[in-house]
Amino acid sequence: MQLVIAIIKPAKLNDVREALEQIGCQGMTITEVRGFGRQKGHTELYRGAEYRIDFLPKIRIDIAVTDEQLEAAIDAIRDAAHTGNTGDGKIFVTPLSTVIRIRTGETDRFAI
């Protein structure tokens, strides 16, 4: 089992969610986060005053997948979140040692 963490642009959330549903991912956790990568924020003008926005709004998606679903999940996220512009995001994959469904006590792949 693997935990896939994707950081994407907020405007791409629905596209990514639909792509993951199409490959059979049954659940995900979404968190609104702020951060920056290579784009390092930007400058905006508000009421005549210029100010710097260092942390840009992003969406973090956490998905637990089986080893068999991993490549399909990565491909779905990458294809749906891609715009070709700086700030498209990142995908991180880390192993999951145990998953437990609280309601039923099911474990590992049966709990996903």
Side-chain angles (χ1 to χ4, degrees):
M1 294 176 308
Q2 306 289 326
L3 177 62
V4 178
I5 301 167
I7 309 296
I8 63 168
K9 291 181 176 185
K12 290 303 217 166
L13 176 58
N14 283 334
D15 294 339
V16 171
R17 181 185 53 80
E18 289 171 5
L20 289 168
E21 285 177 355
Q22 287 178 358
I23 63 162
C25 286
Q26 295 181 357
M28 63 186 74
T29 300
I30 308 298
T31 310
E32 293 180 8
V33 296
R34 294 189 174 277
F36 70 90
R38 290 187 178 163
Q39 76 267 30
K40 295 185 174 56
H42 63 277
T43 304
E44 287 192 5
L45 192 62
Y46 179 72
R47 294 189 179 183
E50 190 174 279
Y51 65 99
R52 181 153 179 80
I53 298 177
D54 291 323
F55 297 102
L56 301 174
K58 300 288 183 178
I59 297 291
R60 175 180 167 151
I61 302 173
D62 295 313
I63 311 157
V65 297
T66 63
D67 292 332
E68 297 79 27
Q69 291 176 311
L70 180 61
E71 289 305 316
I74 290 171
D75 291 344
I77 294 167
R78 187 183 57 234
D79 294 345
H82 181 267
T83 67
N85 298 320
T86 303
D88 275 353
K90 298 265 191 302
I91 300 172
F92 306 95
V93 179
T94 185
L96 276 177
S97 61
T98 305
V99 177
I100 301 166
R101 184 184 310 264
I102 294 172
R103 179 177 54 87
T104 62
E106 294 171 302
T107 59
D108 298 332
R109 62 182 293 245
F110 301 107
I112 295 180

